[in-house]
Amino acid sequence: MNYLLILHCFLFVITLSEYLICMKYINNAYNYKNEWFNMLLSVFFTPFYCFLFINDINRKKLKAYFLPENRNKLIFPIGTGILYTFETILLFYALNTITLSYYTVLRSGFIIFNIPWFKFLLYKKITNIYLASCGFLIGSHIIIIVNYLKTYPDDANVARNTIIIIVSCFINSSYNNIIEYSVKKYRIPNIDFQIIFQITYFVLIIVSSIYYTMQNLPPIDEQTIFIYFLIALGLQMYMFNKIYILNNRNDYIPANLLLSSLDLLRRIIQLIFSFLFFNEPFDGSIILSLICLGISSSLLLFEYFKKIEHVELIEIIESK
């Protein structure tokens, strides 16, 4: 059993949930909404992060990526950094004006957008179980969108933010599958990919995030400083753990299937905070949407463990 992979899966769920909950708490408790400050927090630990792994970085190998014959490999971590930057700006902007529960349910849409990537990039079989999971997911989305439009009929941002989240789901699915494809096809080491990606993201947003944060400074007290620390740490660790999981070399099980399964756990955590601590609307339509979401997630978990069992059986047979 790969205990290190299990640890990264656990940290992925915790950090992803933690930073979103903290952001929404700042929105609600302090009425502070500045997506650029969140962007700044997302790169706060980047210099420390690079310094931490300095001993693991093969400088000669990193320089080798810039040789003419290897430059095509740079497209993947740099492209991921560009896509992640665009997605993050969109999401932080939308999260300022929508409920955490609405965001949580709709963001699971990246699972649907995995289908063309699985089929045409990773060449993985799309099973009936996966398609059924996506069907329940679409049902969940339709129910909660209709409910949200009825609950907030005067909110002019609803349609725009819904489109933003759907677009972000496609971007998220795109770079997830591109990461998995590149690390398997070109054998780009985890640390190399991490460093090039982090530098790309840092360069793209550092100047703008500082400028726009200065235009709208965040509230500062002992509590907010601690929360900002949690957001910064969560954002930094979230992508670190994601890239590690996507670096899984198993050729039979798509690493994105594991990510989709883990999505169940973080959604449960976020929805608990949404309804119990943030007092967001909760009615019959939302219950029905969450039931569809739960069925979808259960099917994904079943699919993943079914493939794990198949792989273990093959390994046993080969060992004999």
Side-chain angles (χ1 to χ4, degrees), residues 184-198:
K184 287 182 177 178
K185 181 176 177 62
Y186 295 103
R187 299 291 173 179
I188 303 175
N190 181 49
I191 293 300
D192 293 4
F193 197 104
Q194 295 273 0
I195 295 300
I196 298 171
F197 160 78
Q198 291 286 349

Side-chain angles (χ1 to χ4, degrees), residues 19 27 80 82 116 118 164 180 189-190 200 217 232 267 313:
Y19 84 73
N27 284 167
T80 298
I82 294 171
F118 280 7
I164 285 175
E180 181 174 357
N190 181 49
T200 302
L217 293 173
R267 277 183 269 158
L313 181 60

Side-chain angles (χ1 to χ4, degrees), residues 15-30:
T15 54
L16 177 56
S17 303
E18 165 258 306
Y19 84 73
L20 286 168
I21 291 167
C22 288
M23 282 182 185
K24 205 60 191 173
Y25 176 80
I26 293 294
N27 284 167
N28 295 339
Y30 292 87

Side-chain angles (χ1 to χ4, degrees), residues 2-34:
N2 191 334
Y3 292 103
L4 190 57
L5 178 61
I6 292 173
L7 175 62
H8 280 280
C9 290
F10 172 77
L11 291 174
F12 170 79
V13 171
I14 295 301
T15 54
L16 177 56
S17 303
E18 165 258 306
Y19 84 73
L20 286 168
I21 291 167
C22 288
M23 282 182 185
K24 205 60 191 173
Y25 176 80
I26 293 294
N27 284 167
N28 295 339
Y30 292 87
N31 195 31
Y32 179 71
K33 300 175 180 180
N34 184 356

Side-chain angles (χ1 to χ4, degrees), residues 102-300:
Y102 188 64
Y103 168 90
T104 299
V105 174
L106 281 190
R107 270 289 285 177
S108 59
F110 79 91
I111 295 170
I112 299 169
F113 288 112
N114 278 340
I115 292 176
W117 293 109
F118 280 7
K119 185 173 179 62
F120 299 110
L121 183 67
L122 299 180
Y123 301 107
K124 301 296 183 182
K125 181 181 178 181
I126 310 298
T127 66
N128 290 332
I129 295 176
Y130 195 91
L131 291 175
S133 172
C134 291
F136 280 104
L137 206 55
I138 292 170
S140 173
H141 290 177
I142 292 173
I143 293 168
I144 203 164
I145 289 173
V146 171
N147 177 267
Y148 202 80
L149 289 171
K150 289 181 179 178
T151 305
Y152 302 98
D154 300 324
D155 189 347
N157 296 321
V158 171
R160 179 181 60 194
N161 287 334
T162 300
I163 293 172
I164 285 175
I165 296 174
I166 292 173
V167 170
S168 76
C169 287
F170 174 74
I171 296 173
N172 182 269
S173 173
S174 299
Y175 71 69
N176 283 348
N177 285 282
I178 288 170
I179 292 172
E180 181 174 357
Y181 169 81
S182 63
V183 297
K184 287 182 177 178
K185 181 176 177 62
Y186 295 103
R187 299 291 173 179
I188 303 175
N190 181 49
I191 293 300
D192 293 4
F193 197 104
Q194 295 273 0
I195 295 300
I196 298 171
F197 160 78
Q198 291 286 349
I199 291 173
T200 302
Y201 179 59
F202 184 88
V203 169
L204 286 173
I205 65 107
I206 186 62
V207 175
S208 298
S209 60
I210 291 174
Y211 175 80
Y212 288 110
T213 297
M214 295 300 294
Q215 305 301 310
N216 182 13
L217 293 173
I220 301 293
D221 57 38
E222 291 183 0
Q223 183 182 45
T224 58
I225 289 174
F226 178 67
I227 292 174
Y228 298 152
F229 169 80
L230 292 178
I231 293 173
L233 183 64
L235 282 163
Q236 191 72 58
M237 292 302 297
Y238 154 65
M239 276 305 289
F240 173 76
N241 290 305
K242 172 183 275 195
I243 293 174
Y244 182 91
I245 293 168
L246 290 172
N247 221 297
N248 177 20
R249 303 291 184 182
N250 191 301
D251 291 326
Y252 182 76
I253 306 173
N256 273 283
L257 182 58
L258 175 56
L259 277 184
S260 302
S261 304
L262 293 172
D263 197 63
L264 164 66
L265 301 177
R266 71 100 170 178
R267 277 183 269 158
I268 291 172
I269 296 170
Q270 288 172 205
L271 290 169
I272 288 173
F273 273 84
S274 300
F275 301 127
L276 296 184
F277 297 95
F278 296 154
N279 297 316
E280 295 181 2
F282 187 76
D283 56 26
S285 295
I286 290 179
I287 292 174
L288 184 58
S289 174
L290 295 182
I291 290 174
C292 291
L293 195 65
I295 295 173
S296 170
S297 300
S298 299
L299 288 171
L300 281 177

Side-chain angles (χ1 to χ4, degrees), residues 30-150:
Y30 292 87
N31 195 31
Y32 179 71
K33 300 175 180 180
N34 184 356
E35 61 273 13
W36 288 103
F37 176 62
N38 291 331
M39 296 288 287
L40 180 60
L41 290 176
S42 70
V43 294
F44 181 80
F45 284 118
T46 298
F48 304 100
Y49 175 91
C50 293
F51 179 78
L52 179 65
F53 291 104
I54 194 71
N55 292 328
D56 297 318
I57 301 172
N58 188 323
R59 294 172 184 79
K60 290 183 179 179
K61 190 170 184 180
L62 283 178
K63 288 180 181 179
Y65 286 115
F66 292 90
L67 295 175
E69 62 270 23
N70 292 327
R71 284 175 189 164
N72 62 318
K73 296 181 182 179
L74 285 174
I75 294 173
F76 300 104
I78 292 176
T80 298
I82 294 171
L83 288 174
Y84 181 69
T85 301
F86 185 54
E87 178 210 25
T88 306
I89 294 172
L90 289 177
L91 283 184
F92 289 171
Y93 173 80
L95 192 61
N96 284 335
T97 54
I98 58 174
T99 62
L100 182 60
S101 56
Y102 188 64
Y103 168 90
T104 299
V105 174
L106 281 190
R107 270 289 285 177
S108 59
F110 79 91
I111 295 170
I112 299 169
F113 288 112
N114 278 340
I115 292 176
W117 293 109
F118 280 7
K119 185 173 179 62
F120 299 110
L121 183 67
L122 299 180
Y123 301 107
K124 301 296 183 182
K125 181 181 178 181
I126 310 298
T127 66
N128 290 332
I129 295 176
Y130 195 91
L131 291 175
S133 172
C134 291
F136 280 104
L137 206 55
I138 292 170
S140 173
H141 290 177
I142 292 173
I143 293 168
I144 203 164
I145 289 173
V146 171
N147 177 267
Y148 202 80
L149 289 171
K150 289 181 179 178

